[in-house]
PDB file of all heavy atoms in Angstrom:
ATOM      1  N   GLU A  25      -3.160  -3.253  -3.832  1.00 95.00           N
ATOM      2  CA  GLU A  25      -2.923  -2.095  -2.974  1.00 95.00           C
ATOM      3  C   GLU A  25      -1.433  -1.979  -2.656  1.00 95.00           C
ATOM      4  O   GLU A  25      -0.878  -0.862  -2.608  1.00 95.00           O
ATOM      5  CB  GLU A  25      -3.755  -2.202  -1.700  1.00 95.00           C
ATOM      6  CG  GLU A  25      -5.254  -2.078  -1.936  1.00 95.00           C
ATOM      7  CD  GLU A  25      -5.919  -3.349  -2.519  1.00 95.00           C
ATOM      8  OE1 GLU A  25      -5.341  -4.447  -2.385  1.00 95.00           O
ATOM      9  OE2 GLU A  25      -6.996  -3.221  -3.114  1.00 95.00           O
ATOM     10  N   ALA A  26      -0.772  -3.108  -2.432  1.00 95.00           N
ATOM     11  CA  ALA A  26       0.674  -3.092  -2.168  1.00 95.00           C
ATOM     12  C   ALA A  26       1.461  -2.560  -3.384  1.00 95.00           C
ATOM     13  O   ALA A  26       2.413  -1.799  -3.227  1.00 95.00           O
ATOM     14  CB  ALA A  26       1.169  -4.486  -1.779  1.00 95.00           C
ATOM     15  N   LEU A  27       1.038  -2.946  -4.578  1.00 95.00           N
ATOM     16  CA  LEU A  27       1.692  -2.420  -5.789  1.00 95.00           C
ATOM     17  C   LEU A  27       1.566  -0.904  -5.877  1.00 95.00           C
ATOM     18  O   LEU A  27       2.535  -0.215  -6.204  1.00 95.00           O
ATOM     19  CB  LEU A  27       1.074  -3.052  -7.045  1.00 95.00           C
ATOM     20  CG  LEU A  27       1.497  -4.468  -7.363  1.00 95.00           C
ATOM     21  CD1 LEU A  27       0.622  -5.034  -8.483  1.00 95.00           C
ATOM     22  CD2 LEU A  27       2.960  -4.533  -7.732  1.00 95.00           C
ATOM     23  N   VAL A  28       0.399  -0.367  -5.578  1.00 95.00           N
ATOM     24  CA  VAL A  28       0.194   1.069  -5.626  1.00 95.00           C
ATOM     25  C   VAL A  28       1.015   1.752  -4.540  1.00 95.00           C
ATOM     26  O   VAL A  28       1.643   2.793  -4.776  1.00 95.00           O
ATOM     27  CB  VAL A  28      -1.310   1.425  -5.502  1.00 95.00           C
ATOM     28  CG1 VAL A  28      -1.511   2.930  -5.434  1.00 95.00           C
ATOM     29  CG2 VAL A  28      -2.091   0.810  -6.656  1.00 95.00           C
ATOM     30  N   ALA A  29       1.020   1.191  -3.328  1.00 95.00           N
ATOM     31  CA  ALA A  29       1.822   1.751  -2.241  1.00 95.00           C
ATOM     32  C   ALA A  29       3.309   1.780  -2.623  1.00 95.00           C
ATOM     33  O   ALA A  29       3.988   2.786  -2.408  1.00 95.00           O
ATOM     34  CB  ALA A  29       1.608   0.958  -0.960  1.00 95.00           C
ATOM     35  N   CYS A  30       3.800   0.726  -3.206  1.00 95.00           N
ATOM     36  CA  CYS A  30       5.195   0.675  -3.616  1.00 95.00           C
ATOM     37  C   CYS A  30       5.469   1.698  -4.729  1.00 95.00           C
ATOM     38  O   CYS A  30       6.537   2.310  -4.751  1.00 95.00           O
ATOM     39  CB  CYS A  30       5.584  -0.741  -4.068  1.00 95.00           C
ATOM     40  SG  CYS A  30       5.688  -1.901  -2.680  1.00 95.00           S
ATOM     41  N   ARG A  31       4.506   1.901  -5.590  1.00 93.00           N
ATOM     42  CA  ARG A  31       4.653   2.941  -6.621  1.00 93.00           C
ATOM     43  C   ARG A  31       4.751   4.318  -5.962  1.00 93.00           C
ATOM     44  O   ARG A  31       5.544   5.159  -6.355  1.00 93.00           O
ATOM     45  CB  ARG A  31       3.456   2.873  -7.579  1.00 93.00           C
ATOM     46  CG  ARG A  31       3.699   3.568  -8.897  1.00 93.00           C
ATOM     47  CD  ARG A  31       2.626   3.265  -9.924  1.00 93.00           C
ATOM     48  NE  ARG A  31       2.663   1.855 -10.319  1.00 93.00           N
ATOM     49  CZ  ARG A  31       1.668   0.989 -10.166  1.00 93.00           C
ATOM     50  NH1 ARG A  31       0.525   1.375  -9.647  1.00 93.00           N
ATOM     51  NH2 ARG A  31       1.778  -0.263 -10.545  1.00 93.00           N
ATOM     52  N   MET A  32       3.955   4.558  -4.920  1.00 93.00           N
ATOM     53  CA  MET A  32       4.046   5.825  -4.178  1.00 93.00           C
ATOM     54  C   MET A  32       5.411   5.985  -3.541  1.00 93.00           C
ATOM     55  O   MET A  32       5.899   7.108  -3.372  1.00 93.00           O
ATOM     56  CB  MET A  32       2.980   5.887  -3.071  1.00 93.00           C
ATOM     57  CG  MET A  32       1.575   6.134  -3.569  1.00 93.00           C
ATOM     58  SD  MET A  32       0.390   6.214  -2.182  1.00 93.00           S
ATOM     59  CE  MET A  32       0.795   7.830  -1.486  1.00 93.00           C
ATOM     60  N   LEU A  33       6.024   4.885  -3.161  1.00 94.00           N
ATOM     61  CA  LEU A  33       7.345   4.901  -2.537  1.00 94.00           C
ATOM     62  C   LEU A  33       8.472   5.085  -3.549  1.00 94.00           C
ATOM     63  O   LEU A  33       9.634   5.206  -3.185  1.00 94.00           O
ATOM     64  CB  LEU A  33       7.573   3.615  -1.739  1.00 94.00           C
ATOM     65  CG  LEU A  33       6.708   3.479  -0.491  1.00 94.00           C
ATOM     66  CD1 LEU A  33       6.668   2.040  -0.015  1.00 94.00           C
ATOM     67  CD2 LEU A  33       7.226   4.402   0.615  1.00 94.00           C
ATOM     68  N   GLY A  34       8.136   5.062  -4.832  1.00 92.00           N
ATOM     69  CA  GLY A  34       9.131   5.259  -5.880  1.00 92.00           C
ATOM     70  C   GLY A  34       9.616   3.983  -6.537  1.00 92.00           C
ATOM     71  O   GLY A  34      10.542   4.025  -7.364  1.00 92.00           O
ATOM     72  N   PHE A  35       9.007   2.851  -6.240  1.00 91.00           N
ATOM     73  CA  PHE A  35       9.386   1.588  -6.864  1.00 91.00           C
ATOM     74  C   PHE A  35       8.454   1.322  -8.032  1.00 91.00           C
ATOM     75  O   PHE A  35       7.267   1.544  -7.948  1.00 91.00           O
ATOM     76  CB  PHE A  35       9.286   0.431  -5.871  1.00 91.00           C
ATOM     77  CG  PHE A  35      10.204   0.603  -4.676  1.00 91.00           C
ATOM     78  CD1 PHE A  35       9.698   1.007  -3.453  1.00 91.00           C
ATOM     79  CD2 PHE A  35      11.568   0.378  -4.804  1.00 91.00           C
ATOM     80  CE1 PHE A  35      10.536   1.178  -2.355  1.00 91.00           C
ATOM     81  CE2 PHE A  35      12.402   0.545  -3.720  1.00 91.00           C
ATOM     82  CZ  PHE A  35      11.890   0.951  -2.494  1.00 91.00           C
ATOM     83  N   ASN A  36       9.009   0.848  -9.129  1.00 84.00           N
ATOM     84  CA  ASN A  36       8.206   0.590 -10.320  1.00 84.00           C
ATOM     85  C   ASN A  36       8.147  -0.891 -10.655  1.00 84.00           C
ATOM     86  O   ASN A  36       7.817  -1.242 -11.773  1.00 84.00           O
ATOM     87  CB  ASN A  36       8.763   1.384 -11.511  1.00 84.00           C
ATOM     88  CG  ASN A  36       8.536   2.870 -11.341  1.00 84.00           C
ATOM     89  OD1 ASN A  36       7.488   3.285 -10.866  1.00 84.00           O
ATOM     90  ND2 ASN A  36       9.534   3.664 -11.686  1.00 84.00           N
ATOM     91  N   GLY A  37       8.432  -1.751  -9.712  1.00 77.00           N
ATOM     92  CA  GLY A  37       8.418  -3.175  -9.965  1.00 77.00           C
ATOM     93  C   GLY A  37       7.011  -3.714 -10.086  1.00 77.00           C
ATOM     94  O   GLY A  37       6.024  -3.026  -9.851  1.00 77.00           O
ATOM     95  N   THR A  38       6.941  -4.951 -10.483  1.00 79.00           N
ATOM     96  CA  THR A  38       5.639  -5.616 -10.630  1.00 79.00           C
ATOM     97  C   THR A  38       5.377  -6.582  -9.486  1.00 79.00           C
ATOM     98  O   THR A  38       4.390  -7.305  -9.516  1.00 79.00           O
ATOM     99  CB  THR A  38       5.600  -6.391 -11.968  1.00 79.00           C
ATOM    100  OG1 THR A  38       6.664  -7.320 -11.988  1.00 79.00           O
ATOM    101  CG2 THR A  38       5.700  -5.424 -13.131  1.00 79.00           C
ATOM    102  N   THR A  39       6.256  -6.597  -8.496  1.00 84.00           N
ATOM    103  CA  THR A  39       6.054  -7.478  -7.363  1.00 84.00           C
ATOM    104  C   THR A  39       6.040  -6.665  -6.082  1.00 84.00           C
ATOM    105  O   THR A  39       6.888  -5.815  -5.872  1.00 84.00           O
ATOM    106  CB  THR A  39       7.152  -8.565  -7.282  1.00 84.00           C
ATOM    107  OG1 THR A  39       8.422  -7.922  -7.231  1.00 84.00           O
ATOM    108  CG2 THR A  39       7.080  -9.497  -8.465  1.00 84.00           C
ATOM    109  N   ALA A  40       5.062  -6.926  -5.258  1.00 91.00           N
ATOM    110  CA  ALA A  40       4.935  -6.275  -3.962  1.00 91.00           C
ATOM    111  C   ALA A  40       4.093  -7.184  -3.082  1.00 91.00           C
ATOM    112  O   ALA A  40       3.253  -7.940  -3.576  1.00 91.00           O
ATOM    113  CB  ALA A  40       4.281  -4.909  -4.091  1.00 91.00           C
ATOM    114  N   VAL A  41       4.312  -7.113  -1.784  1.00 91.00           N
ATOM    115  CA  VAL A  41       3.590  -7.954  -0.840  1.00 91.00           C
ATOM    116  C   VAL A  41       3.063  -7.105   0.304  1.00 91.00           C
ATOM    117  O   VAL A  41       3.803  -6.250   0.834  1.00 91.00           O
ATOM    118  CB  VAL A  41       4.493  -9.072  -0.305  1.00 91.00           C
ATOM    119  CG1 VAL A  41       3.781  -9.897   0.742  1.00 91.00           C
ATOM    120  CG2 VAL A  41       5.005  -9.945  -1.427  1.00 91.00           C
ATOM    121  N   ALA A  42       1.834  -7.315   0.685  1.00 93.00           N
ATOM    122  CA  ALA A  42       1.267  -6.690   1.868  1.00 93.00           C
ATOM    123  C   ALA A  42       1.531  -7.627   3.057  1.00 93.00           C
ATOM    124  O   ALA A  42       1.365  -8.836   2.944  1.00 93.00           O
ATOM    125  CB  ALA A  42      -0.237  -6.486   1.697  1.00 93.00           C
ATOM    126  N   VAL A  43       1.963  -7.049   4.169  1.00 91.00           N
ATOM    127  CA  VAL A  43       2.228  -7.854   5.354  1.00 91.00           C
ATOM    128  C   VAL A  43       1.521  -7.224   6.561  1.00 91.00           C
ATOM    129  O   VAL A  43       1.316  -6.019   6.584  1.00 91.00           O
ATOM    130  CB  VAL A  43       3.734  -8.006   5.633  1.00 91.00           C
ATOM    131  CG1 VAL A  43       4.408  -8.798   4.537  1.00 91.00           C
ATOM    132  CG2 VAL A  43       4.407  -6.665   5.770  1.00 91.00           C
ATOM    133  N   GLY A  44       1.175  -8.063   7.516  1.00 82.00           N
ATOM    134  CA  GLY A  44       0.509  -7.581   8.715  1.00 82.00           C
ATOM    135  C   GLY A  44       1.458  -6.784   9.606  1.00 82.00           C
ATOM    136  O   GLY A  44       2.680  -6.838   9.481  1.00 82.00           O
ATOM    137  N   SER A  45       0.887  -6.055  10.526  1.00 71.00           N
ATOM    138  CA  SER A  45       1.663  -5.147  11.367  1.00 71.00           C
ATOM    139  C   SER A  45       2.592  -5.870  12.340  1.00 71.00           C
ATOM    140  O   SER A  45       3.517  -5.263  12.859  1.00 71.00           O
ATOM    141  CB  SER A  45       0.731  -4.211  12.140  1.00 71.00           C
ATOM    142  OG  SER A  45      -0.063  -4.985  13.032  1.00 71.00           O
ATOM    143  N   ALA A  46       2.367  -7.131  12.613  1.00 70.00           N
ATOM    144  CA  ALA A  46       3.235  -7.837  13.534  1.00 70.00           C
ATOM    145  C   ALA A  46       4.690  -7.805  13.074  1.00 70.00           C
ATOM    146  O   ALA A  46       5.611  -7.784  13.876  1.00 70.00           O
ATOM    147  CB  ALA A  46       2.771  -9.275  13.700  1.00 70.00           C
ATOM    148  N   LYS A  47       4.911  -7.766  11.778  1.00 83.00           N
ATOM    149  CA  LYS A  47       6.258  -7.769  11.222  1.00 83.00           C
ATOM    150  C   LYS A  47       7.002  -6.463  11.485  1.00 83.00           C
ATOM    151  O   LYS A  47       8.190  -6.464  11.783  1.00 83.00           O
ATOM    152  CB  LYS A  47       6.212  -8.053   9.727  1.00 83.00           C
ATOM    153  CG  LYS A  47       7.543  -8.059   9.059  1.00 83.00           C
ATOM    154  CD  LYS A  47       7.707  -9.246   8.182  1.00 83.00           C
ATOM    155  CE  LYS A  47       9.010  -9.232   7.440  1.00 83.00           C
ATOM    156  NZ  LYS A  47      10.042  -9.992   8.083  1.00 83.00           N
ATOM    157  N   TYR A  48       6.329  -5.319  11.394  1.00 92.00           N
ATOM    158  CA  TYR A  48       6.989  -4.030  11.506  1.00 92.00           C
ATOM    159  C   TYR A  48       6.480  -3.166  12.658  1.00 92.00           C
ATOM    160  O   TYR A  48       6.914  -2.033  12.805  1.00 92.00           O
ATOM    161  CB  TYR A  48       6.847  -3.260  10.177  1.00 92.00           C
ATOM    162  CG  TYR A  48       7.447  -4.008   9.027  1.00 92.00           C
ATOM    163  CD1 TYR A  48       6.641  -4.539   8.030  1.00 92.00           C
ATOM    164  CD2 TYR A  48       8.828  -4.193   8.924  1.00 92.00           C
ATOM    165  CE1 TYR A  48       7.186  -5.231   6.955  1.00 92.00           C
ATOM    166  CE2 TYR A  48       9.392  -4.894   7.880  1.00 92.00           C
ATOM    167  CZ  TYR A  48       8.557  -5.407   6.903  1.00 92.00           C
ATOM    168  OH  TYR A  48       9.095  -6.101   5.855  1.00 92.00           O
ATOM    169  N   GLY A  49       5.600  -3.690  13.464  1.00 91.00           N
ATOM    170  CA  GLY A  49       5.144  -2.972  14.642  1.00 91.00           C
ATOM    171  C   GLY A  49       3.970  -2.048  14.352  1.00 91.00           C
ATOM    172  O   GLY A  49       3.689  -1.702  13.215  1.00 91.00           O
ATOM    173  N   ALA A  50       3.322  -1.641  15.417  1.00 92.00           N
ATOM    174  CA  ALA A  50       2.181  -0.741  15.319  1.00 92.00           C
ATOM    175  C   ALA A  50       2.669   0.698  15.222  1.00 92.00           C
ATOM    176  O   ALA A  50       3.662   1.076  15.825  1.00 92.00           O
ATOM    177  CB  ALA A  50       1.289  -0.900  16.534  1.00 92.00           C
ATOM    178  N   GLY A  51       1.938   1.491  14.448  1.00 92.00           N
ATOM    179  CA  GLY A  51       2.266   2.912  14.310  1.00 92.00           C
ATOM    180  C   GLY A  51       1.532   3.729  15.345  1.00 92.00           C
ATOM    181  O   GLY A  51       0.997   3.224  16.333  1.00 92.00           O
ATOM    182  N   SER A  52       1.522   5.031  15.102  1.00 91.00           N
ATOM    183  CA  SER A  52       0.797   5.948  15.974  1.00 91.00           C
ATOM    184  C   SER A  52       0.199   7.030  15.092  1.00 91.00           C
ATOM    185  O   SER A  52       0.445   7.063  13.891  1.00 91.00           O
ATOM    186  CB  SER A  52       1.738   6.563  17.020  1.00 91.00           C
ATOM    187  OG  SER A  52       2.770   7.266  16.385  1.00 91.00           O
ATOM    188  N   GLY A  53      -0.591   7.883  15.682  1.00 92.00           N
ATOM    189  CA  GLY A  53      -1.214   8.950  14.901  1.00 92.00           C
ATOM    190  C   GLY A  53      -2.478   8.467  14.223  1.00 92.00           C
ATOM    191  O   GLY A  53      -3.008   7.409  14.542  1.00 92.00           O
ATOM    192  N   PRO A  54      -2.976   9.253  13.279  1.00 95.00           N
ATOM    193  CA  PRO A  54      -4.241   8.884  12.632  1.00 95.00           C
ATOM    194  C   PRO A  54      -4.100   7.684  11.704  1.00 95.00           C
ATOM    195  O   PRO A  54      -3.033   7.427  11.174  1.00 95.00           O
ATOM    196  CB  PRO A  54      -4.599  10.148  11.829  1.00 95.00           C
ATOM    197  CG  PRO A  54      -3.309  10.819  11.586  1.00 95.00           C
ATOM    198  CD  PRO A  54      -2.421  10.517  12.771  1.00 95.00           C
ATOM    199  N   ILE A  55      -5.193   6.959  11.546  1.00 94.00           N
ATOM    200  CA  ILE A  55      -5.278   5.907  10.541  1.00 94.00           C
ATOM    201  C   ILE A  55      -6.010   6.521   9.348  1.00 94.00           C
ATOM    202  O   ILE A  55      -7.172   6.891   9.435  1.00 94.00           O
ATOM    203  CB  ILE A  55      -6.039   4.668  11.090  1.00 94.00           C
ATOM    204  CG1 ILE A  55      -5.275   4.101  12.296  1.00 94.00           C
ATOM    205  CG2 ILE A  55      -6.216   3.624   9.988  1.00 94.00           C
ATOM    206  CD1 ILE A  55      -5.996   2.986  13.034  1.00 94.00           C
ATOM    207  N   LEU A  56      -5.285   6.658   8.249  1.00 94.00           N
ATOM    208  CA  LEU A  56      -5.765   7.435   7.129  1.00 94.00           C
ATOM    209  C   LEU A  56      -6.741   6.669   6.232  1.00 94.00           C
ATOM    210  O   LEU A  56      -7.767   7.203   5.822  1.00 94.00           O
ATOM    211  CB  LEU A  56      -4.581   7.909   6.292  1.00 94.00           C
ATOM    212  CG  LEU A  56      -4.829   9.002   5.288  1.00 94.00           C
ATOM    213  CD1 LEU A  56      -5.363  10.270   5.954  1.00 94.00           C
ATOM    214  CD2 LEU A  56      -3.556   9.307   4.510  1.00 94.00           C
ATOM    215  N   PHE A  57      -6.399   5.410   5.910  1.00 92.00           N
ATOM    216  CA  PHE A  57      -7.220   4.625   4.973  1.00 92.00           C
ATOM    217  C   PHE A  57      -7.620   3.297   5.580  1.00 92.00           C
ATOM    218  O   PHE A  57      -6.871   2.701   6.352  1.00 92.00           O
ATOM    219  CB  PHE A  57      -6.432   4.310   3.695  1.00 92.00           C
ATOM    220  CG  PHE A  57      -6.205   5.463   2.777  1.00 92.00           C
ATOM    221  CD1 PHE A  57      -4.936   5.902   2.504  1.00 92.00           C
ATOM    222  CD2 PHE A  57      -7.279   6.071   2.124  1.00 92.00           C
ATOM    223  CE1 PHE A  57      -4.707   6.945   1.629  1.00 92.00           C
ATOM    224  CE2 PHE A  57      -7.064   7.116   1.245  1.00 92.00           C
ATOM    225  CZ  PHE A  57      -5.781   7.549   1.002  1.00 92.00           C
ATOM    226  N   SER A  58      -8.760   2.807   5.145  1.00 92.00           N
ATOM    227  CA  SER A  58      -9.222   1.459   5.463  1.00 92.00           C
ATOM    228  C   SER A  58     -10.050   0.964   4.280  1.00 92.00           C
ATOM    229  O   SER A  58     -10.644   1.763   3.542  1.00 92.00           O
ATOM    230  CB  SER A  58     -10.065   1.478   6.728  1.00 92.00           C
ATOM    231  OG  SER A  58     -10.485   0.180   7.064  1.00 92.00           O
ATOM    232  N   TYR A  59     -10.107  -0.321   4.101  1.00 92.00           N
ATOM    233  CA  TYR A  59     -10.889  -0.936   3.034  1.00 92.00           C
ATOM    234  C   TYR A  59     -10.590  -0.313   1.662  1.00 92.00           C
ATOM    235  O   TYR A  59     -11.492   0.051   0.924  1.00 92.00           O
ATOM    236  CB  TYR A  59     -12.383  -0.903   3.321  1.00 92.00           C
ATOM    237  CG  TYR A  59     -12.767  -1.755   4.487  1.00 92.00           C
ATOM    238  CD1 TYR A  59     -13.057  -1.178   5.718  1.00 92.00           C
ATOM    239  CD2 TYR A  59     -12.798  -3.131   4.387  1.00 92.00           C
ATOM    240  CE1 TYR A  59     -13.377  -1.970   6.812  1.00 92.00           C
ATOM    241  CE2 TYR A  59     -13.136  -3.927   5.457  1.00 92.00           C
ATOM    242  CZ  TYR A  59     -13.418  -3.336   6.661  1.00 92.00           C
ATOM    243  OH  TYR A  59     -13.748  -4.129   7.740  1.00 92.00           O
ATOM    244  N   LEU A  60      -9.308  -0.224   1.343  1.00 93.00           N
ATOM    245  CA  LEU A  60      -8.900   0.256   0.029  1.00 93.00           C
ATOM    246  C   LEU A  60      -9.210  -0.797  -1.020  1.00 93.00           C
ATOM    247  O   LEU A  60      -9.085  -1.989  -0.755  1.00 93.00           O
ATOM    248  CB  LEU A  60      -7.391   0.538   0.014  1.00 93.00           C
ATOM    249  CG  LEU A  60      -6.966   1.842   0.688  1.00 93.00           C
ATOM    250  CD1 LEU A  60      -5.491   1.791   1.055  1.00 93.00           C
ATOM    251  CD2 LEU A  60      -7.244   3.023  -0.217  1.00 93.00           C
ATOM    252  N   ARG A  61      -9.584  -0.359  -2.200  1.00 95.00           N
ATOM    253  CA  ARG A  61      -9.827  -1.245  -3.340  1.00 95.00           C
ATOM    254  C   ARG A  61      -9.125  -0.619  -4.549  1.00 95.00           C
ATOM    255  O   ARG A  61      -9.637   0.342  -5.125  1.00 95.00           O
ATOM    256  CB  ARG A  61     -11.307  -1.411  -3.634  1.00 95.00           C
ATOM    257  CG  ARG A  61     -12.065  -2.161  -2.560  1.00 95.00           C
ATOM    258  CD  ARG A  61     -11.730  -3.641  -2.568  1.00 95.00           C
ATOM    259  NE  ARG A  61     -12.474  -4.354  -1.583  1.00 95.00           N
ATOM    260  CZ  ARG A  61     -11.972  -4.910  -0.499  1.00 95.00           C
ATOM    261  NH1 ARG A  61     -10.695  -4.823  -0.263  1.00 95.00           N
ATOM    262  NH2 ARG A  61     -12.732  -5.545   0.356  1.00 95.00           N
ATOM    263  N   CYS A  62      -7.975  -1.144  -4.902  1.00 95.00           N
ATOM    264  CA  CYS A  62      -7.217  -0.623  -6.024  1.00 95.00           C
ATOM    265  C   CYS A  62      -7.316  -1.601  -7.189  1.00 95.00           C
ATOM    266  O   CYS A  62      -7.491  -2.804  -6.992  1.00 95.00           O
ATOM    267  CB  CYS A  62      -5.735  -0.450  -5.668  1.00 95.00           C
ATOM    268  SG  CYS A  62      -5.449   0.666  -4.277  1.00 95.00           S
ATOM    269  N   VAL A  63      -7.157  -1.085  -8.385  1.00 94.00           N
ATOM    270  CA  VAL A  63      -7.050  -1.919  -9.573  1.00 94.00           C
ATOM    271  C   VAL A  63      -5.616  -2.421  -9.689  1.00 94.00           C
ATOM    272  O   VAL A  63      -5.370  -3.550 -10.087  1.00 94.00           O
ATOM    273  CB  VAL A  63      -7.466  -1.130 -10.834  1.00 94.00           C
ATOM    274  CG1 VAL A  63      -7.249  -1.924 -12.098  1.00 94.00           C
ATOM    275  CG2 VAL A  63      -8.911  -0.691 -10.726  1.00 94.00           C
ATOM    276  N   GLY A  64      -4.662  -1.559  -9.329  1.00 86.00           N
ATOM    277  CA  GLY A  64      -3.254  -1.921  -9.375  1.00 86.00           C
ATOM    278  C   GLY A  64      -2.418  -1.019 -10.252  1.00 86.00           C
ATOM    279  O   GLY A  64      -1.210  -1.021 -10.180  1.00 86.00           O
ATOM    280  N   ASN A  65      -3.069  -0.203 -11.086  1.00 90.00           N
ATOM    281  CA  ASN A  65      -2.331   0.679 -11.969  1.00 90.00           C
ATOM    282  C   ASN A  65      -2.350   2.144 -11.500  1.00 90.00           C
ATOM    283  O   ASN A  65      -1.824   3.022 -12.160  1.00 90.00           O
ATOM    284  CB  ASN A  65      -2.840   0.597 -13.398  1.00 90.00           C
ATOM    285  CG  ASN A  65      -4.310   0.974 -13.511  1.00 90.00           C
ATOM    286  OD1 ASN A  65      -4.961   1.290 -12.533  1.00 90.00           O
ATOM    287  ND2 ASN A  65      -4.826   0.938 -14.728  1.00 90.00           N
ATOM    288  N   GLU A  66      -2.961   2.420 -10.349  1.00 93.00           N
ATOM    289  CA  GLU A  66      -3.019   3.773  -9.819  1.00 93.00           C
ATOM    290  C   GLU A  66      -1.613   4.223  -9.376  1.00 93.00           C
ATOM    291  O   GLU A  66      -0.747   3.420  -9.099  1.00 93.00           O
ATOM    292  CB  GLU A  66      -3.964   3.848  -8.615  1.00 93.00           C
ATOM    293  CG  GLU A  66      -5.405   3.487  -8.941  1.00 93.00           C
ATOM    294  CD  GLU A  66      -5.726   2.010  -8.765  1.00 93.00           C
ATOM    295  OE1 GLU A  66      -4.798   1.189  -8.652  1.00 93.00           O
ATOM    296  OE2 GLU A  66      -6.918   1.669  -8.764  1.00 93.00           O
ATOM    297  N   THR A  67      -1.428   5.537  -9.316  1.00 91.00           N
ATOM    298  CA  THR A  67      -0.140   6.073  -8.851  1.00 91.00           C
ATOM    299  C   THR A  67      -0.178   6.463  -7.388  1.00 91.00           C
ATOM    300  O   THR A  67       0.844   6.745  -6.794  1.00 91.00           O
ATOM    301  CB  THR A  67       0.271   7.297  -9.697  1.00 91.00           C
ATOM    302  OG1 THR A  67      -0.763   8.279  -9.619  1.00 91.00           O
ATOM    303  CG2 THR A  67       0.522   6.895 -11.140  1.00 91.00           C
ATOM    304  N   SER A  68      -1.366   6.481  -6.786  1.00 93.00           N
ATOM    305  CA  SER A  68      -1.519   6.835  -5.392  1.00 93.00           C
ATOM    306  C   SER A  68      -2.690   6.066  -4.801  1.00 93.00           C
ATOM    307  O   SER A  68      -3.679   5.797  -5.471  1.00 93.00           O
ATOM    308  CB  SER A  68      -1.786   8.348  -5.239  1.00 93.00           C
ATOM    309  OG  SER A  68      -2.119   8.684  -3.916  1.00 93.00           O
ATOM    310  N   LEU A  69      -2.616   5.759  -3.523  1.00 94.00           N
ATOM    311  CA  LEU A  69      -3.712   5.089  -2.833  1.00 94.00           C
ATOM    312  C   LEU A  69      -4.954   5.980  -2.802  1.00 94.00           C
ATOM    313  O   LEU A  69      -6.084   5.482  -2.734  1.00 94.00           O
ATOM    314  CB  LEU A  69      -3.307   4.709  -1.421  1.00 94.00           C
ATOM    315  CG  LEU A  69      -2.234   3.613  -1.308  1.00 94.00           C
ATOM    316  CD1 LEU A  69      -1.799   3.430   0.137  1.00 94.00           C
ATOM    317  CD2 LEU A  69      -2.720   2.304  -1.885  1.00 94.00           C
TER     318      LEU A  69
END
């Protein structure tokens, strides 16, 4: 899922890491996705 998210951000690398919210803080507004299951080659979540 992190690889796909990074691809959405414009990065084409093969390395990406998902991190918990404690590192970057809590957001606000709607929570759009939960329980994502990606293969890793998708272009969008």
Side-chain angles (χ1 to χ4, degrees):
E25 293 77 21
L27 284 170
V28 175
C30 289
R31 199 169 293 119
M32 286 181 73
L33 291 162
F35 299 103
N36 291 320
T38 58
T39 56
V41 176
V43 295
S45 64
K47 179 133 177 96
Y48 301 111
S52 60
I55 299 172
L56 194 60
F57 288 117
S58 182
Y59 293 104
L60 283 160
R61 293 288 182 248
C62 301
V63 174
N65 60 359
E66 298 90 346
T67 57
S68 171
L69 293 174

